[in-house]
């Protein structure tokens, strides 16, 4: 019997960020609550603690 590989992925946290190719973003919770049904499902989920990635995406501002 074949054993499944353990997944290194975690379930997205509600405060993680959903980022669309046009730069628009929302939280996973907002998307799950159907607040963005009109948007495409072509998005990236970014960990809420990934400050460099959020900064590069323009979601957060650099703090001097």
């Amino acid at each position: 019997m074949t054993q499944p590989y353990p997944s290194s992925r975690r379930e997205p946290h509600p405060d993680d960020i959903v980022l669309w190719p046009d730069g628009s973003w929302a939280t996973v919770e907002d998307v799950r609550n159907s607040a963005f049904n009109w948007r495409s499902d072509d998005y990236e989920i970014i960990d809420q603690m990934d400050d460099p990635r959020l900064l590069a995406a323009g979601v957060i501002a650099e703090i001097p």
Side-chain angles (χ1 to χ4, degrees):
M1 180 170 172
T2 305
Q3 296 294 322
Y5 289 104
S7 176
S8 61
R9 292 174 148 190
R10 67 170 179 81
E11 184 70 23
H13 187 276
D15 291 333
D16 286 347
I17 301 298
V18 172
L19 179 67
W20 283 274
D22 68 356
S24 300
W25 61 273
T27 64
V28 167
E29 181 176 31
D30 288 340
V31 173
R32 286 181 180 161
N33 288 334
S34 302
F36 290 87
N37 279 350
W38 54 275
R39 299 284 319 205
S40 74
D41 62 356
D42 179 25
Y43 55 76
E44 170 186 5
I45 297 178
I46 304 173
D47 187 302
Q48 63 179 338
M49 303 304 285
D50 190 355
D51 288 347
R53 180 66 185 102
L54 294 174
L55 182 63
V59 175
I60 61 173
E62 188 169 357
I63 300 171

